[in-house]
Amino acid sequence: MKKRYYIVLFTFLFLISCNSSSEKKETTTTEKKADTMVVTPVKMLKAAGLILPVVDSLRDSSAYCCVVTPESGFIVYDKPNGKAIGTVKREIDESDNQSPYVLYLISGTNKEKIETEAFKEIGYDLFAINYSETADGYVRVFDSSKNYWLKVAEINHKGFKAIDWMEHLLKERDLVLGYYANEPGLKLRKEPNSNSEVISTIRGDLFEIKLSEKVSGQWCKVIITKYKEHPCETELKESENKVDTKEGWLKIIDDNGEPNIWSYSKGC
C-alpha cells in the first residue's frame, strides 16, 4: 500500500514538472515572436516614376501648367507613416511668368522654393514630380537625399497616380520622335538578359529606338533605326537617310528603376 502511494505521488509531481516546462517554452516563443514583429523595418523598393493626372488630357490644360500638380497641392511627410511637414504646391503670381514653373514646400509661414531642376520634363515646357522609391503606401519625391514623401492614397484621391517609368515610356512611345540611349550607350541583345548575345551597341541620337509592347522585367523588345543624319536636321529623303534597322532587346530601365533612354521632349 505504501509502495503504491509513492508511485502515485511521483507520477503527479512528474506531470506538474512537464506542464510547467511546456508553459515556459510557449511563453518564450511568444516573446520572441513579439520582439520580431516590433523590429521589422518598412520595406523600401527602388520603383521610380512620375506623378501624373489619371486623365491624360488634363496634363495639357492651363490649370496644370507648367508643373503638373493639383491646385491644392500634396501633403509632404518626413517618412512613410511619419509626420506631415508641409504642403507642396504652386503659387501663381500674375506679374511673374516664371511662377508656374516653381513649386513651394509650405509649412506655416515658411516657404521652401523647389526649382524645375527637381522635376522631370515630359513635354514642351511641361514638368512632372518624380519619385525614386516606394514604401508602405508612400512615394519619395524630388531629390532622393531628402526625406519628402507623398501618400499614394492622397495622390489617387486628387485625380493623379504614381506611374513607373516603364509604363510611362511605353505609353509615350508613339508621341515622341524617338528614344535614344543614355551615355555611354546600350547593348542590343538577342534575348532579354545581360548574358545574351550582343547584336550591336546603340549610342547617340542617330540610333532611334522604337519600343514594342513586348516587355520582360527591365527589358523591352525594340526596333533600332540608324540614320546618316538626324531626321530633324537633314534634307535627305527618309529612304536615303536610313542606314539600316535591327531588332532585339534593350534594358531600358536601370537597377534603380530609372530610364536608360531619353527623348527630345520639345520635338525637333
Side-chain angles (χ1 to χ4, degrees), residues 79-96:
K79 60 182 178 181
N81 296 307
K83 180 179 67 175
I85 58 174
T87 300
V88 63
K89 60 184 296 188
R90 293 175 297 146
E91 284 200 343
I92 304 300
D93 181 353
E94 299 296 340
S95 64
D96 181 5

Side-chain angles (χ1 to χ4, degrees), residues 36-253:
T36 303
M37 290 173 67
V38 169
V39 299
T40 300
V42 173
K43 187 176 182 182
M44 297 188 183
L45 302 175
K46 290 290 185 180
L50 303 168
I51 296 172
L52 295 172
V54 173
V55 181
D56 282 346
S57 60
L58 290 178
R59 77 179 193 178
D60 297 319
S61 166
S62 60
Y64 290 100
C65 180
C66 293
V67 183
V68 187
T69 50
E71 187 175 347
S72 59
F74 295 115
I75 298 171
V76 180
Y77 299 84
D78 62 350
K79 60 182 178 181
N81 296 307
K83 180 179 67 175
I85 58 174
T87 300
V88 63
K89 60 184 296 188
R90 293 175 297 146
E91 284 200 343
I92 304 300
D93 181 353
E94 299 296 340
S95 64
D96 181 5
N97 60 10
Q98 294 302 303
S99 65
Y101 297 92
V102 178
L103 294 183
Y104 292 92
L105 177 61
I106 302 171
S107 178
T109 58
N110 296 322
K111 287 200 310 185
E112 178 187 342
K113 192 175 184 181
I114 303 173
E115 303 280 3
T116 52
E117 288 78 9
F119 317 130
K120 297 293 183 181
E121 191 168 14
I122 58 171
Y124 192 87
D125 281 349
L126 189 65
F127 300 83
I129 295 174
N130 64 291
Y131 66 91
S132 58
E133 282 180 278
T134 66
D136 204 19
Y138 290 76
V139 290
R140 188 176 195 163
V141 295
F142 306 133
D143 184 348
S144 60
S145 67
K146 295 180 180 178
N147 287 316
Y148 293 163
W149 294 82
L150 305 185
K151 187 184 291 188
V152 174
E154 184 195 3
I155 293 171
N156 296 341
H157 178 71
K158 292 188 173 179
F160 282 69
K161 62 181 176 179
I163 175 173
D164 65 52
W165 275 110
M166 177 66 84
E167 185 181 348
H168 178 70
L169 293 173
L170 291 174
K171 198 170 185 179
E172 297 287 301
R173 70 184 189 276
D174 294 327
L175 302 178
V176 299
L177 291 172
Y179 289 115
Y180 308 96
N182 291 353
E183 292 296 337
L186 295 171
K187 302 291 186 184
L188 181 69
R189 298 182 183 271
K190 282 195 172 182
E191 300 296 335
N193 65 78
S194 298
N195 296 319
S196 178
E197 180 184 339
V198 175
I199 299 172
S200 63
T201 299
I202 310 303
R203 181 184 296 117
D205 65 358
L206 293 182
F207 289 87
E208 182 184 88
I209 302 167
K210 286 290 186 184
L211 306 183
S212 75
E213 293 183 350
K214 294 183 179 179
V215 173
S216 178
Q218 297 157 267
W219 297 74
C220 183
K221 194 164 190 181
V222 301
I223 296 175
I224 306 296
T225 302
K226 184 180 180 182
Y227 292 101
K228 294 176 185 175
E229 300 175 0
H230 194 279
C232 289
E233 300 171 351
T234 187
E235 294 182 358
L236 295 173
K237 295 179 181 179
E238 186 177 358
S239 58
E240 296 172 333
N241 196 29
K242 282 185 179 180
V243 177
D244 65 11
T245 59
K246 290 184 172 70
E247 189 173 310
W249 291 83
L250 284 182
K251 186 179 180 181
I252 66 171
I253 302 296

